[in-house]
Amino acid sequence: MDFLVVNFAEILFYCLAVLTVAGGIGVLVFKSPVHAALSLLFTFVMVAALFLLLHAELLGAVQVLVYGGGIMVLFLFVIMLVNVKTLAPEQAFLSRLAPLAVVAGVLLGVLIAFALIFGVLVSGHGDGTALRTVGGAEIGNTEAIGAVLYTTYLVPFEIVSVVLLVAMIGAIVFGRRSAGLEIEGGGGES
Amino acid sequence: MIDVCRSLPIWLIPALPAAGFVVLALVGARFPRRWVAIVGAGSVGAAAAATLCTAIGFLGRPPETGVIEERLWSWIDVGSFEIGFNLAVDALSLVMIFVVTFVGFLIHVYSTEYMADDSAYSRFFACMNLFVAFMLMLVLADSLFLLYLGWEGVGLCSYLLIGFWYSDPANGAAARKAFIVTRVGDTAFAIALLLLYKHAGTLDIQAAMAWAADNWAVGSGIAVAVALLLLGGAVGKSAQLPLQVWLPDAMAGPTPVSALIHAATMVTAGVYLIARTHVVFELAPTAMTTVAAVGAATLLLAGCSALVQTDIKRVLAYSTISQIGYMFLGLGVGAWSAAVFHLMTHAFFKALLFLGAGAVIISLHHEQDIFKMGGLRRRLPGVFWTFLIGSASLAALPLVTAGFYSKDLILWAAWSSDSGSPWLWAAGAGGALLTAVYAFRLVFIVFFGDERGHVERRPGLLILVPLTVLAVLSVVGGFVETPSALGHVSFFFDLLDPVLPPAHATVAGHGTEVLLQTVVAAITLLGVGLAFFLYVRRPAIPAAVKASPLGAWLCGLWLSGWGFDTLYDRIFVRPFVAVAGLLRADPLDEISSSVARVIAAGNSALSRTQDGRVRTYAFGIGLGAVIAVAVVVLT
Amino acid sequence: MSLADFVPFLPEIFLGCAGFIVLLAGIPLGRRGSRPVIALAVAALAATAVLIFLVGRPAAGPQLILGDMLVVDQFAVFFKLLVLAASALALVMAAGYLDRAQYSGGEFASLILFADLGMFIMASGANLASLYVGLELMALSVYVLVGYFKLEVKSNEGAVKYFVLGAASSAILLYGISLIYGTTGSLDLETIRVTLAEVPHQNFLLLLGIALVAFGMLFKVAAVPFHVWTPDAYEGAPTPVTAFISVAPKAVAFAMFLRLFAGTFAGEVEHWRMLLWIASAATMIYGNVAALTQINVKRMLAYSSIAHAGYALMGLVAGSDAGTWAVLMYMAVYAFMNLGAFGFVILLESRGYAGERIEDFAGLARRHPGAAAGMLIFMLGLAGIPPTAGFMGKLYLWAATVEAGYIWLAVISVLMSAVSLYYYFRLVVQMYLKEGDAEDESPAEMLSDRWAGAAIAVCAVMTLAIGLWPAPLVGWAKSGLSALGLV
């Protein structure tokens, strides 16, 4: 019993991790797109739980709001609009390369696991306070992220805003009906 | 004034014709002819002006080392291997650029009229400008690599201009022949460069020469090898035995091309090369003897051939081969300055003769057979007088012509120098007789006797002015260096002294020199008289000789240039073609074609990996990830 | 972080604003074709270059700005100017192409400017976070550009494939970055470099991170086997976009590659060198061999561009000063040659369609001698034949590789260069020796487009000029070294 109490965080972590991976596999194997999407949602929620476990409460909340909320709704909308009931069997996961792919995947998994296990054994693990530590003083999680975003990480933060702008331009370019050139001043643009 | 001249960048001299080439090649076809002429001749004229300026600067305040160097840029710089674009002007290159730009300019001016009716006017001037640019690069080069680049460049231009009228297959064949035969020599030259680089570790001319002088013993095998290989390059470019066969055929090009490339400048590049690398030759007495022997043999053989030619340009072509033979003779006996002196005077009078011949040819509507000419003395007086001066200079009429002074110096060196011998002198003197006979044979047949051929048009000022200027140079050009008995002017040798050492002469009496001069002068006058007797007084005699069996055989032999073409055809071309035919289905080809098959098989295998499916692609990437992680983590 | 930190950042700020202005200006200007707005964008690029000269250059030595997120050094300036030149040339080439296909220029030009902004950050990032967002900005802009001709199936297909695979590779790159952060506790390149000396040499977590970052970089430079997106994306994209993405993003991907591996991870060189050796060899072999039988010129050039990435990787394998500046030099040289070659594909039209097939070039020398001569220059350059710039670029790469002792890699690259002659000269043979189908009444024609013609001429002049006079570029490339802490 002591073992469970002392290592409660670890045990919870491994449970959540297994569930996260299981959700990911579910996205691949479910025939119905709706099921696959729900499996993805499950994965997102598990990731959010992992964030909570790491004391990154804000990230956990954002994960649920943005991925579990916004993006998942978008996925479901698209699935319903396009009206895909099931994925056609010939498009299923299995193909000629499947055995090779499985071998490669297993190899990659073994390699990564090897590196992770030995890496952790050699170097130990961090104390999980990186996000909360700004200038040595412990302050709130949200504040810390805000402070870091607007000072040290200002440049990446601003560039990310340009990334979003480009995404919008992309959406407009692909979304409007005409090819885009209105030399005669026609009203094809929405 | 001198400071201004010294500050003029040297690179302008080759850059100006190069710029002319670029302009003409890009937009020349759209230019009106007048503009083409202005750009074509003007760019060379500007180069001549720049040369004059450089010469004033050089002579006014000679550099202490004897060389003005100009480092332009480094082309390749890898580790210890550096190839730079650097130019250098010393007395030798100064003489060369003077000849190239001034004679070149006169020939360009002449061409503006000569080529006026040609449809490819701008192509002609573009090629000519490019040639001048490469030639200037050749003589200004500070390193043998750059020199080689210019060397190949002038070869290319020569090819383009010999085949200028490419619609006639014969012209194309002549161009190819010139290119391929000189390529034999170029290969030897390239091997010489590689050998020199391997040993000296540099291709910088001065450094390599200094290194050779310090490290190679006189007569050492490597020095002899390099010198002989350099000689190989020189005989190819300068049309000496055994690679002389291309030059007579090269007359297929327009006459100004023959004057500029195949008389005045490019063909003398071999002489320049040997003079430039004289240090190596001085270390290799065997090679020196070979140079002299090649020169002596060539001047005699080509002189005989010139005697019997009927095409006016071929006479001049053989004459050029023969005169360059004199220069080689001079080089071979260590009379470097004398050879360069003859190079200069030869450039004047041979350009003059070619341009005069060109004037005759277009006057008679592209007639080149001398026996269809005659009596042109009265119809083309300007051409006649200048041609006469040129011929006199070629024949080296004593005292009054430039050719006399330069040839005399070579012959005297052939007798008196350490490496000279009476035999070499005798060959030269015999050649002098031949030269006088064939030079004046030409004059008498073309300009004297009955009028044959119809003069269609008379040359204009643009033709006559260059002829006149060259005629003046053919006379006064010799007075820059006169023998001790005749005023003893030694401007030219003094100028070249820092670059080219004087010939090592055994103590020979002053009296001997005067005696030999008199003998040669007498031989020359005898030759002229003989020509007059045979071709004006008794034309029946040569006809009778030609009719006799021995005469006919000899005539045929000489006409074909001693049958070298047939010989080479038998021993090189035909066996090569036969072997090539045998090897058409060569089993050794299987090695190279099997490589091709492996590559082709690999190609079809790889094409299958690019099947257009994202799934396959993702698999490829995944495989890559496995490899990446495995390699990095496990090494 | 002080206000003075923003001064060297002005070129980037200006570029971002310019992208926005061009986007908006495209609406009113777009009614008169794409040329006005493209002229505006090119002017903005020129102004950016001027700004770089005025304020964006390091005063003395590398200078960290904005919370150590970016570094201003010669290395970054080299790639920034290269990106500006390549974008300007691609934009100028695109003007007529967009008009003919009836697509608007505003969004196009602004996407290129935003991509440039991303590439600036990639070239000058001093922190894994800024490098990553710069990479994403560039990548996202390029995905949209590849699919810009949305009515054409090939363009769509190329964009989707590129996007899916690109997103996957980004995720893996990010995983690698997170592992590096986990082991070293920092995203700052300099801190990581210092820490690497302290952590145990055989730290598998760290090595895994480096392997995955290498994966991401190899994907971006299109090295085998991460090249799979390249042929489809290059073939499907509008040709000016292909010209652009085969040059600028590849160059800055090498910039980031060099900064990370020749700089930050240099201490672990013994671990990653073998991977890059294999990737370089495989890329050269694959690219050149697969290019042999392509019948589409764009696809052929796509494989050729894969092969060129393999050559440039040799410089990284060499891991020396000489290798590094040889890569810089090669990227510049390759940019002009490749842009020029694609320029001709842009201008060639066959029966109202783009003349992309090899046969479309048949007999071109007779009909358009100038164009054929230009194409000849680029083919000679890409094949690496003197006196073009391509020879110089390869020469320095070979010299560096041999000097570092990787003779076999140099041998492979020389052999593969010989193979490449085959497919480059297939085009030359078509142009000069094939007459074209005599019964073909409408052979492919070069469109007369002064803008594109001028851009191609610039490329041709640069290809020859660098080949004949490489000294200034070499000097400039060498000056970029100090930034990486190599000198």
Side-chain angles (χ1 to χ4, degrees):
Chain A
M1 212 50 199
D2 279 354
F3 173 78
L4 279 180
V5 174
V6 173
N7 296 301
F8 179 70
E10 265 85 357
I11 292 165
L12 195 57
F13 170 81
Y14 285 113
C15 292
L16 289 172
V18 168
L19 288 174
T20 311
V21 173
I25 293 175
V27 178
L28 290 177
V29 296
F30 281 127
K31 290 269 193 292
S32 154
V34 180
H35 291 168
L38 289 176
S39 182
L40 187 61
L41 175 63
F42 177 72
T43 311
F44 289 155
V45 174
M46 288 301 115
V47 171
L50 279 172
F51 277 129
L52 290 180
L53 191 63
L54 293 168
H55 302 287
E57 295 85 5
L58 180 69
L59 284 183
V62 168
Q63 171 81 13
V64 171
L65 284 176
V66 174
Y67 286 89
I71 291 179
M72 191 44 57
V73 170
L74 200 64
F75 272 13
L76 291 174
F77 262 145
V78 170
I79 290 167
M80 285 166 191
L81 281 175
V82 179
N83 200 17
V84 220
K85 287 281 185 291
T86 55
L87 296 165
E90 66 270 17
Q91 285 183 320
F93 176 66
L94 292 171
S95 77
R96 254 181 331 114
L97 289 172
L100 280 173
V102 169
V103 171
V106 169
L107 262 178
L108 186 62
V110 167
L111 279 168
I112 290 177
F114 169 80
L116 285 178
I117 292 162
F118 279 85
V120 172
L121 282 183
V122 171
S123 68
H125 32 95
D127 57 2
T129 53
L131 272 180
R132 277 185 288 168
T133 317
V134 176
E138 291 232 341
I139 51 172
N141 193 256
T142 314
E143 263 179 275
I145 286 182
V148 166
L149 271 189
Y150 287 99
T151 56
T152 315
Y153 290 96
L154 181 68
V155 172
F157 182 68
E158 292 297 335
I159 298 300
V160 167
S161 68
V162 184
V163 173
L164 292 180
L165 175 65
V166 167
M168 252 160 59
I169 300 174
I172 293 168
V173 165
F174 292 130
R176 69 180 157 201
R177 243 175 253 134
S178 75
L181 196 66
E182 259 71 45
I183 291 179
E184 275 83 38
E189 208 153 349
S190 52
Chain B
M1 172 70 187
I2 288 167
D3 286 331
V4 173
C5 289
R6 277 295 287 273
S7 64
L8 184 84
I10 301 165
W11 59 261
L12 264 184
I13 300 172
L16 284 165
F21 160 72
V22 171
V23 170
L24 290 177
L26 290 180
V27 286
R30 288 183 214 160
F31 274 6
R33 287 182 170 240
R34 173 179 284 271
W35 291 16
V36 172
I38 289 172
V39 173
S43 64
V44 181
T51 303
L52 197 64
C53 194
T54 307
I56 291 172
F58 188 89
L59 299 176
R61 189 153 56 80
E64 280 166 21
T65 52
V67 188
I68 305 177
E69 281 187 79
E70 193 170 277
R71 305 192 75 76
L72 291 181
W73 72 77
S74 175
W75 188 53
I76 293 177
D77 182 6
V78 185
S80 60
F81 179 68
E82 188 186 354
I83 295 177
F85 262 65
N86 303 313
L87 303 180
V89 171
D90 60 6
L92 177 58
S93 15
L94 194 65
V95 171
M96 293 301 293
I97 57 174
F98 172 74
V99 169
V100 173
T101 55
F102 277 81
V103 175
F105 175 58
L106 291 171
I107 292 171
H108 274 74
V109 170
Y110 173 95
S111 310
T112 56
E113 183 176 328
Y114 187 86
M115 300 297 290
D117 298 332
D118 202 278
S119 56
Y121 201 58
S122 67
R123 177 162 62 94
F124 177 80
F125 279 102
C127 290
M128 290 286 270
N129 277 356
L130 183 65
F131 168 78
V132 173
F134 273 128
M135 189 70 205
L136 289 169
M137 192 165 103
L138 192 166
V139 295
L140 285 172
D142 191 28
S143 76
L144 284 166
F145 178 81
L146 197 57
L147 191 153
Y148 186 73
L149 214 63
W151 184 274
E152 294 295 340
V154 291
L156 170 73
C157 294
S158 162
Y159 168 80
L160 291 174
L161 284 163
I162 294 171
F164 181 73
W165 290 309
Y166 56 81
S167 50
D168 183 350
N171 295 344
R176 273 199 305 280
K177 183 174 176 186
F179 201 69
I180 292 166
V181 172
T182 50
R183 189 67 52 261
V184 175
D186 292 353
T187 310
F189 183 20
I191 296 171
L193 290 191
L194 293 175
L195 270 180
L196 202 57
Y197 181 76
K198 182 165 175 275
H199 287 268
T202 176
L203 283 178
D204 183 86
I205 295 175
Q206 295 179 42
M209 290 304 120
W211 188 92
D214 289 345
N215 292 282
W216 286 344
V218 174
S220 64
I222 179 71
V224 173
V226 170
L228 284 177
L229 286 166
L230 286 173
L231 174 65
V235 297
K237 207 57 144 189
S238 291
Q240 298 292 292
L241 274 175
L243 297 176
Q244 83 288 19
V245 289
W246 63 272
L247 190 60
D249 288 359
M251 296 299 122
T255 309
V257 172
S258 311
L260 178 62
I261 301 183
H262 305 119
T265 55
M266 185 191 83
V267 289
T268 57
V271 179
Y272 171 78
L273 176 68
I274 294 178
R276 188 44 95 197
T277 56
H278 65 90
V279 174
V280 177
F281 282 86
E282 280 171 342
L283 295 170
T286 327
M288 290 279 280
T289 316
T290 316
V291 174
V294 164
T298 309
L299 77 89
L300 284 175
L301 292 181
C304 291
S305 284
L307 267 184
V308 298
Q309 300 298 318
T310 57
D311 180 321
I312 185 167
K313 288 181 69 181
R314 285 181 87 89
V315 177
L316 294 175
Y318 279 109
S319 152
T320 304
I321 299 175
S322 170
Q323 294 302 309
I324 297 173
Y326 274 108
M327 298 175 210
F328 272 63
L329 177 60
L331 295 170
V333 297
W336 316 109
S337 302
V340 174
F341 187 31
H342 195 55
L343 187 162
M344 183 178 82
T345 58
H346 173 257
F348 297 149
F349 64 70
K350 190 51 65 66
L352 169 62
L353 287 172
F354 266 113
L355 295 187
V360 170
I361 290 168
I362 48 162
S363 298
L364 298 176
H365 194 71
H366 294 283
E367 180 55 65
Q368 300 197 5
D369 188 342
I370 52 173
F371 290 105
K372 292 181 181 160
M373 303 170 183
L376 293 173
R377 187 172 75 234
R378 271 168 243 98
R379 309 300 304 263
L380 303 169
V383 177
F384 165 66
W385 285 110
T386 51
F387 199 89
L388 186 66
I389 293 170
S391 300
S393 198
L394 169 62
L397 278 193
L399 304 182
V400 292
T401 62
F404 168 73
Y405 294 103
S406 56
K407 196 183 280 184
D408 175 67
L409 283 167
I410 290 176
L411 289 177
W412 169 237
W415 177 281
S416 67
S417 151
D418 285 345
S419 43
S421 81
W423 291 107
L424 291 174
W425 180 85
L433 178 68
L434 289 170
T435 309
V437 174
Y438 71 68
F440 278 87
R441 167 180 175 261
L442 200 56
V443 172
F444 292 137
I445 291 178
V446 173
F447 291 99
F448 288 77
D450 305 329
E451 282 190 25
R452 277 165 299 206
H454 176 63
V455 175
E456 289 196 347
R457 58 183 248 200
R458 287 169 193 284
L461 267 186
L462 288 175
I463 284 184
L464 289 177
V465 168
L467 288 180
T468 315
V469 175
L470 284 169
V472 171
L473 286 171
S474 299
V475 174
V476 302
F479 298 136
V480 293
E481 181 70 40
T482 59
S484 48
L486 298 165
H488 199 68
V489 177
S490 66
F491 169 76
F492 194 79
F493 279 27
D494 288 347
L495 174 68
L496 285 176
D497 192 52
V499 191
L500 302 172
H504 301 286
T506 45
V507 188
H510 184 66
T512 324
E513 186 182 353
V514 176
L515 176 70
L516 292 176
Q517 276 163 2
T518 319
V519 171
V520 174
I523 289 176
T524 306
L525 291 173
L526 174 71
V528 177
L530 196 62
F532 183 71
F533 180 74
L534 288 177
Y535 297 103
V536 180
R537 279 298 143 98
R538 297 274 190 281
I541 296 179
V545 169
K546 210 181 268 184
S548 71
L550 180 68
W553 178 76
L554 211 53
C555 225
L557 184 67
W558 289 358
L559 191 62
S560 66
W562 297 83
F564 274 98
D565 279 337
T566 325
L567 183 70
Y568 288 170
D569 189 51
R570 292 267 162 79
I571 64 174
F572 293 123
V573 180
R574 285 197 207 169
F576 181 80
V577 171
V579 170
L582 282 177
L583 291 184
R584 187 166 288 170
D586 185 6
L588 283 177
D589 277 359
E590 285 303 307
I591 295 172
S592 59
S593 52
S594 67
V595 172
R597 270 200 292 276
V598 167
I599 299 272
N603 171 265
S604 65
L606 293 187
S607 301
R608 238 171 283 147
T609 64
Q610 208 73 40
D611 63 357
R613 293 175 194 218
V614 181
R615 190 179 303 154
T616 319
Y617 295 174
F619 172 70
I621 289 183
L623 205 61
V626 176
I627 296 168
V629 172
V631 170
V632 174
V633 172
L634 300 181
T635 52
Chain C
M1 192 187 305
S2 69
L3 208 57
D5 271 10
F6 284 93
V7 173
F9 194 56
L10 274 177
E12 281 85 353
I13 295 175
F14 177 81
L15 198 56
C17 297
F20 201 67
I21 290 167
V22 165
L23 177 66
L24 295 180
I27 299 167
L29 290 178
R31 289 176 203 283
R32 279 181 289 147
S34 61
R35 278 174 211 261
V37 67
I38 280 184
L40 183 68
V42 172
L45 291 173
T48 311
V50 172
L51 269 177
I52 290 176
F53 272 110
L54 291 179
V55 298
R57 286 191 299 172
Q63 178 190 354
L64 288 163
I65 56 164
L66 295 168
D68 298 353
M69 281 297 129
L70 298 175
V71 60
V72 180
D73 55 19
Q74 280 295 337
F75 181 81
V77 168
F78 181 91
F79 280 102
K80 284 178 186 174
L81 292 179
L82 181 59
V83 163
L84 289 179
S87 327
L89 288 168
L91 274 175
V92 169
M93 286 176 187
Y97 193 81
L98 289 171
D99 284 349
R100 287 195 290 282
Q102 302 259 303
Y103 281 91
S104 69
E107 291 89 350
F108 186 90
S110 74
L111 283 168
I112 295 237
L113 294 188
F114 287 130
D116 286 357
L117 177 58
M119 290 187 249
F120 274 35
I121 304 294
M122 283 169 80
S124 61
N127 187 295
L128 286 173
S130 51
L131 281 172
Y132 178 75
V133 292
L135 182 97
E136 281 306 301
L137 176 55
M138 180 277 284
L140 197 65
S141 312
V142 166
Y143 301 146
V144 180
L145 282 170
V146 169
Y148 198 76
F149 280 14
K150 58 173 177 170
L151 300 182
E152 283 181 29
V153 178
K154 267 167 126 187
S155 180
N156 277 325
E157 190 186 326
V160 169
K161 284 178 183 167
Y162 189 15
F163 177 68
V164 170
L165 297 171
S169 88
S170 279
I172 291 176
L173 173 66
L174 210 48
Y175 186 29
I177 290 177
S178 76
L179 287 171
I180 290 169
Y181 179 70
T183 43
T184 62
S186 175
L187 290 171
D188 184 68
L189 296 187
E190 186 55 29
T191 314
I192 296 172
R193 198 166 72 88
V194 173
T195 317
L196 280 187
E198 295 163 7
V199 295
H201 204 56
Q202 276 285 356
N203 187 320
F204 290 113
L205 272 186
L206 182 69
L207 291 181
L208 182 62
I210 290 177
L212 297 179
V213 171
F215 172 108
M217 295 322 301
L218 288 171
F219 182 89
K220 285 296 168 203
V221 303
V224 173
F226 312 108
H227 66 284
V228 278
W229 55 276
T230 320
D232 291 345
Y234 280 20
E235 190 189 345
T239 315
V241 173
T242 314
F244 176 70
I245 63 174
S246 68
V247 168
K250 187 169 288 208
V252 284
F254 267 105
M256 188 169 155
F257 214 150
L258 283 170
R259 206 182 271 286
L260 287 176
F261 283 79
T264 309
F265 302 148
E268 305 287 317
V269 59
E270 291 319 317
H271 291 287
W272 53 257
R273 181 175 266 158
M274 177 54 84
L275 171 65
L276 296 196
W277 194 103
I278 295 172
S280 171
T283 307
M284 288 187 285
I285 294 173
Y286 186 101
N288 283 312
V289 172
L292 287 178
T293 53
Q294 302 302 326
I295 47 169
N296 182 299
V297 179
K298 275 167 83 176
R299 211 170 167 85
M300 187 267 273
L301 287 173
Y303 283 107
S304 128
S305 126
I306 293 174
H308 283 278
Y311 299 136
L313 277 173
M314 287 196 299
L316 272 155
V317 175
S320 57
D321 291 2
T324 305
W325 65 257
V327 175
L328 265 67
M329 165 110 187
Y330 201 72
M331 280 298 117
V333 161
Y334 162 78
F336 290 110
M337 299 184 306
N338 220 41
L339 279 171
F342 273 115
F344 279 108
V345 184
I346 290 173
L347 281 189
L348 196 69
E349 188 173 64
S350 171
R351 292 190 199 78
Y353 292 98
E356 292 176 2
R357 292 175 312 149
I358 300 258
E359 301 93 82
D360 290 333
F361 283 79
L364 201 66
R366 194 158 290 270
R367 281 174 282 127
H368 300 279
M375 194 68 178
L376 178 65
I377 291 177
F378 297 125
M379 290 298 117
L380 289 175
L382 287 170
I385 293 184
T388 59
F391 168 71
M392 279 297 152
K394 274 193 188 146
L395 182 73
Y396 288 120
L397 280 173
W398 284 331
T401 313
V402 171
E403 207 173 35
Y406 296 93
I407 312 280
W408 282 107
L409 195 59
V411 168
I412 291 175
S413 82
V414 171
L415 286 178
M416 285 302 129
S417 294
V419 170
S420 77
L421 277 179
Y422 177 82
Y423 59 85
Y424 291 129
F425 273 67
R426 245 175 90 203
L427 211 55
V428 174
V429 165
Q430 285 287 339
M431 291 193 301
Y432 281 89
L433 301 179
K434 292 281 159 63
E435 284 300 313
D437 195 350
E439 291 161 26
D440 192 346
E441 283 170 11
S442 57
E445 287 297 330
M446 296 297 293
L447 297 163
S448 71
D449 178 345
R450 271 164 201 268
W451 284 33
I456 294 170
V458 169
C459 295
V461 168
M462 291 303 287
T463 304
L464 285 178
I466 297 175
L468 291 172
W469 191 20
L473 186 65
V474 169
W476 198 27
K478 280 181 181 171
S479 75
L481 287 186
S482 57
L484 298 173
L486 281 170
V487 174

